[in-house]
Amino acid sequence: MKLMTGLILVMILLCSSCGERKSGQVKSPIRVKTEVLTSGGQAGSSSYVGIVEEREATAVSFTSMGVIRRMLVSEGQAVSAGQLLAEMDDTQARNLLSGSEAAMKQANDALERYSQLHESGSLTEAQWVEIESKVAQARSQLAVAQKNLDDCRLKAPVSGIIGRKAMGVGETARPTQAVVTILDISSVKVKVSMPEVELASISANTPTTVRVDAVQKQVSGGLIEKGVVADALTHTYDVRIHVPNADRKLLPGMVASVSFSSASSATDAHFTVPVTAVQRRADGSLFVWTVTDDSTAHRTAVTIGSTVGNRVLLVSGPQSGCRIVTEGYQKLSEGTKVVY
């Protein structure tokens, strides 16, 4: 009997010790990803990669067909309006001009001779009209021949730089076929592709900062043009920012970094967090998980503002230096220990 009583006491002691170990067991901390709120940062702005474009491109071509005899410019060369760019073989044009000049001289001689007869009444009115018509026809043909000769010389219609030389000496130029392209880079445009969900966040006067590392230049952008036709695959819209370029250092094709300032950047809010970091309670209020110095997670109420890309502006809530949980919050509860 004493033996049985001893065994029962031993079992009771073993069970109580197991229970104590279970009740005292500490849960392992949950691993999360976090970020610290800092003033400035990415709040109120979004950045894109853009490409510098010319303000305007003018394709220059001959108005008649012929073989190019001389090219007087090269790519990248600055030209002024009226400057000679290229010459076409003008042999045929000169021959036509010579024939037209001879016809004009002959018509003027006839007009001079028959004018005396017309004044004396020896020439009928019909004959006189015919002579005047021949003079007018000769004058018209001479003007056409002179223009054909002038058209053998290609001149710059505007000032700019030669962006592309499409033809060379010995090639046959045709009407409307571009020989060179003149680029106006007195100011330039920087083109970026913007997702459709972000297009409404900018206006024609949204402040921008444009940086081009190739020339170590940073300037403030000007007027913004928003495209109205989306790319069928990416659903992005072309946005172009006008940028001054008085020193002509910004060239078409250069890569630029463009930062758009959000209107909300002028408010008291200084932080943004990933949209997915903001959670909603059952009552509809919003919160984020914050981590205190003892690595404990807590719900912190927030008020949010506008969305900038995949981030949202915090109007109220955590302060500078607060650590926010951005990933792994699904397993958290109030007071959960975390590692990051």
Side-chain angles (χ1 to χ4, degrees):
M1 187 68 176
K2 291 182 180 180
L3 180 60
M4 288 296 295
T5 303
L7 289 175
I8 292 172
L9 289 174
V10 170
M11 291 179 65
I12 292 173
L13 290 173
L14 288 174
C15 289
S16 67
S17 63
C18 289
E20 288 177 359
R21 284 199 299 269
K22 287 183 179 179
S23 63
Q25 185 177 2
V26 178
K27 292 183 179 179
S28 299
I30 295 177
R31 181 166 295 278
V32 295
K33 287 188 177 181
T34 65
E35 66 177 51
V36 178
L37 298 183
T38 56
S39 298
Q42 300 178 8
S45 67
S46 52
S47 299
Y48 299 85
V49 174
I51 298 295
V52 177
E53 294 182 341
E54 67 279 357
R55 179 187 178 199
E56 189 173 356
T58 303
V60 186
S61 60
F62 287 103
T63 57
S64 58
M65 186 170 71
V67 178
I68 297 176
R69 183 178 63 185
R70 285 202 306 164
M71 285 295 299
L72 304 175
V73 293
S74 56
E75 293 184 358
Q77 178 180 337
V79 296
S80 303
Q83 182 176 333
L84 184 62
L85 306 177
E87 288 183 340
M88 185 188 293
D89 184 2
D90 60 0
T91 303
Q92 184 177 1
R94 289 188 179 279
N95 291 337
L96 290 174
L97 180 61
S98 297
S100 297
E101 288 174 339
M104 185 75 251
K105 182 178 180 181
Q106 184 180 10
N108 286 331
D109 289 344
L111 181 66
E112 185 178 353
R113 289 196 312 271
Y114 284 106
S115 61
Q116 297 177 358
L117 295 176
H118 178 257
E119 292 174 359
S120 65
S122 301
L123 196 67
T124 64
E125 192 64 29
Q127 290 174 319
W128 177 246
V129 170
E130 182 180 356
I131 292 171
E132 286 184 323
S133 298
K134 288 183 179 179
V135 172
Q137 183 178 6
R139 186 180 295 112
S140 176
Q141 290 176 346
L142 178 61
V144 171
Q146 184 62 58
K147 185 178 185 307
N148 286 339
L149 180 61
D150 292 341
D151 287 346
C152 291
R153 294 164 58 86
L154 187 64
K155 296 182 179 181
V158 294
S159 300
I161 63 169
I162 303 298
R164 182 170 180 267
K165 190 168 68 173
M167 303 192 71
V169 175
E171 295 186 76
T172 300
R174 294 175 174 79
T176 71
Q177 182 181 13
V179 177
V180 296
T181 301
I182 299 177
L183 306 180
D184 180 1
I185 59 169
S186 55
S187 65
V188 295
K189 300 177 183 179
V190 177
K191 183 184 77 171
V192 299
S193 296
M194 182 170 288
E196 57 185 11
V197 295
E198 300 177 22
L199 195 64
S201 65
I202 65 167
S203 66
N205 299 309
T206 297
T208 57
T209 301
V210 178
R211 177 170 179 79
V212 180
D213 290 333
V215 292
Q216 293 297 303
K217 184 175 181 179
Q218 180 170 308
V219 296
S220 296
L223 185 68
I224 297 176
E225 299 175 1
K226 295 197 291 186
V228 296
V229 179
D231 184 278
L233 295 178
T234 62
H235 296 286
T236 57
Y237 288 80
D238 287 341
V239 174
R240 289 177 170 85
I241 304 98
H242 288 251
V243 176
N245 189 34
D247 56 7
R248 305 297 199 277
K249 287 186 177 181
L250 300 181
L251 300 177
M254 287 183 172
V255 177
S257 175
V258 182
S259 296
F260 292 84
S261 297
S262 170
S264 55
S265 62
T267 67
D268 294 334
H270 301 285
F271 323 108
T272 63
V273 295
V275 173
T276 54
V278 180
Q279 307 295 305
R280 187 180 297 275
R281 295 176 184 267
D283 60 3
S285 60
L286 302 176
F287 70 94
V288 294
W289 287 104
T290 58
V291 180
T292 54
D293 293 339
D294 61 355
S295 299
T296 303
H298 300 279
R299 294 183 180 89
T300 302
V302 295
T303 303
I304 63 174
S306 60
T307 301
V308 183
N310 63 349
R311 302 179 70 85
V312 64
L313 195 68
L314 295 184
V315 176
S316 66
Q319 300 302 309
S320 179
C322 187
R323 186 174 294 277
I324 302 293
V325 177
T326 58
E327 293 184 29
Y329 45 78
Q330 295 88 347
K331 297 180 181 180
L332 297 182
S333 58
E334 185 66 27
T336 301
K337 290 288 185 178
V338 298
V339 291
Y340 49 86

